[in-house]
Amino acid sequence: MNPTDAAGPLFEALLAEAQQWACDDTEDQDQLDAIDHADTPRDKLALLQNSSLIPSHLASAIAEALVALDPATYSPDSAPTTSGTSMADPELHRIRDASITVVDASPEDNTPSDVYEIQVHGVSVLIRRRAHWGPATDVPYVHIEDQNEEPGLLLVEVNNAGEHEHPRPSSDGAAT
């Protein structure tokens, strides 16, 4: 079997997986329509990789396999890379009902490098590296903000050390 013959069914499997993961919401359906109407298999693959329809590690692994099997069809165009450049605005990725915002360092406003904010279920988690903490080198820094307005409880666990309870205050300010 010619390796290029295996690329087509592999791409179709990736597309079928995306269709399985897609919700009925407008954004997912728009992404599927754009993929369907893309001009070339290369464009369809790029849209699949940049969509929120399938896990990124799955899309990346299959894209690498497709490029290896059929580089003439699936290799990306030679476009200039932007690695190492600072982004003026954060990059937002929507994943189902969650979002991840990625912000690169900005020397102009002292934005720390590699800042990730994850928002899901009304909870915002900010993750970054904090430089020069004590005698050690950079250390991970995690900030959690529960944005739910109803009284309740936020459970947090770090390094399998057991849950720590953080009560959300009620509207009158008293913790529940």
Side-chain angles (χ1 to χ4, degrees):
M1 174 186 245
N2 186 342
T4 57
D5 293 341
L10 181 59
F11 176 79
E12 292 302 321
L14 179 64
L15 184 57
E17 187 71 17
Q19 291 166 339
Q20 288 289 88
W21 279 91
C23 296
D24 290 333
D25 68 7
T26 304
E27 185 175 343
D28 284 0
Q29 294 308 311
D30 288 346
Q31 289 178 3
L32 286 173
D33 288 343
I35 292 164
D36 187 45
H37 292 99
D39 293 331
T40 66
R42 175 182 304 130
D43 294 339
K44 291 178 186 223
L45 179 61
L47 288 169
L48 273 168
Q49 284 183 279
N50 294 321
S51 75
S52 61
L53 298 172
I54 49 178
S56 61
H57 66 279
L58 176 63
S60 295
I62 292 177
E64 288 175 13
L66 287 169
V67 169
L69 291 170
D70 190 355
T73 304
Y74 294 102
S75 287
D77 291 331
S78 56
T81 62
T82 58
S83 69
T85 61
S86 179
M87 294 186 334
D89 293 318
E91 185 178 336
L92 178 65
H93 304 274
R94 184 182 167 279
I95 301 144
R96 302 221 182 262
D97 292 328
S99 65
I100 299 175
T101 305
V102 181
V103 181
D104 280 345
S106 173
E108 293 84 34
D109 65 2
N110 291 327
T111 302
S113 65
D114 296 329
V115 175
Y116 305 89
E117 181 182 14
I118 302 164
Q119 293 182 357
V120 64
H121 302 304
V123 176
S124 171
V125 179
L126 176 78
I127 303 169
R128 69 178 179 90
R129 297 201 64 80
R130 181 176 278 178
H132 313 298
W133 184 263
T137 58
D138 296 353
V139 295
Y141 170 81
V142 178
H143 172 83
I144 300 172
E145 182 177 334
D146 188 352
Q147 299 168 348
N148 290 304
E149 295 182 7
E150 304 86 34
L153 185 64
L154 175 66
L155 297 175
V156 178
E157 183 172 15
V158 178
N159 290 338
N160 296 321
E163 295 174 344
H164 296 275
E165 295 183 1
H166 299 273
R168 284 194 307 260
S170 61
S171 57
D172 63 3
T176 57

